[in-house]
Amino acid sequence: MAFMPLDAPTVGFDLDMTLIDSRPGIHAVYQELSATTGTYIDADQCVSRLGPPLDWELRHWFPEELIAEMVLKYREIYPTRAILPSPAMPGAADAIRAVQELGGRAVVVTAKNAPQARLHLDHLGITPDEVVGGLWAEGKATALREHGAAVYVGDHLGDVLGARAAGALSVAVPTGPIGADELREAGADVVLDDLTSFPAWLKGYAAERA
């Protein structure tokens, strides 16, 4: 597989469970959504499988005819319940800075809608160059290609699929629901323990291709 050079790298990053631990906030949102709609939702189960789009998870709890309405309700609740409780993942801000210090661009490409993604990043003081929302799995390739991303970093099998569909190097971190072995089996080119290892890895990778 051919990879784009990293002379001035553009690197894509997933958001949930890659840059941020969104489990506490999303858990709180699902609890409130359950209370306001009177519908049973197992919030623990929801946060155990973060990655796919919101409507995918909502279909576990609501009939199809209510999904659009529940998406709106969820997003109304989200800013007041999800932002403050959700911390950055270890090394997240440094990973973004590492790209920028090499003269590259850091682009967040996430299944979450972009306004809510930006709320998280602004709150945590993480400053990517671009945020693209509403894309999942191979769909992420559209944004990765548009921005010329040579690398895509994520925690989920969908992130590996997105990277490979874009012709980008898939760098995976087992900080979400998927273990390191499964990420490798899915085709991740590099698996790091977490983002604290990313700046050193990026410098080495860029040096090899200089």
Side-chain angles (χ1 to χ4, degrees):
M1 184 177 183
F3 301 115
M4 298 170 62
L6 266 177
D7 300 328
T10 294
V11 177
F13 291 87
D14 176 50
L15 183 70
D16 291 316
M17 304 311 300
T18 300
L19 291 174
I20 68 169
D21 184 350
S22 53
R23 289 173 297 185
I26 290 175
H27 192 280
V29 175
Y30 277 118
Q31 285 185 315
E32 182 160 334
L33 184 63
S34 178
T36 58
T37 61
T39 300
Y40 173 74
I41 298 173
D42 186 336
D44 291 336
Q45 194 171 97
C46 293
V47 300
S48 74
R49 53 192 181 204
L50 295 180
L54 172 60
D55 57 356
W56 178 88
E57 180 61 49
L58 289 172
R59 286 186 174 90
H60 289 82
W61 313 107
F62 296 95
E64 185 64 32
E65 62 269 19
L66 293 181
I67 296 303
E69 179 185 352
M70 292 304 111
V71 166
L72 292 176
K73 284 185 179 295
Y74 178 99
R75 290 179 175 167
E76 287 172 3
I77 296 166
Y78 199 95
T80 59
R81 290 289 184 266
I83 306 304
L84 292 180
S86 300
M89 297 297 282
D94 289 341
I96 297 291
R97 282 194 294 267
V99 177
Q100 295 165 336
E101 287 170 0
L102 283 177
R105 301 178 71 249
V107 180
V108 173
V109 182
T110 174
K112 192 182 298 299
N113 72 334
Q116 291 176 350
R118 290 190 186 96
L119 287 175
H120 279 291
L121 294 165
D122 290 347
H123 170 68
L124 296 169
I126 298 173
T127 55
D129 297 282
E130 188 71 43
V131 177
V132 182
L135 299 176
W136 165 241
E138 293 92 341
K140 293 187 174 187
T142 302
L144 296 173
R145 286 193 298 262
E146 180 181 341
H147 290 279
V151 174
Y152 185 59
V153 185
D155 69 284
H156 201 280
L157 302 181
D159 300 324
V160 177
L161 292 173
R164 298 191 71 80
L169 189 75
S170 172
V171 176
V173 285
T175 49
I178 311 299
D181 289 343
E182 193 173 353
L183 289 164
R184 289 190 188 94
E185 290 168 5
D189 300 291
V190 176
V191 179
L192 304 174
D193 289 341
D194 58 32
L195 288 180
T196 62
S197 303
F198 181 79
W201 174 84
L202 181 65
K203 287 179 182 178
Y205 183 71
E208 289 176 2
R209 286 152 178 75

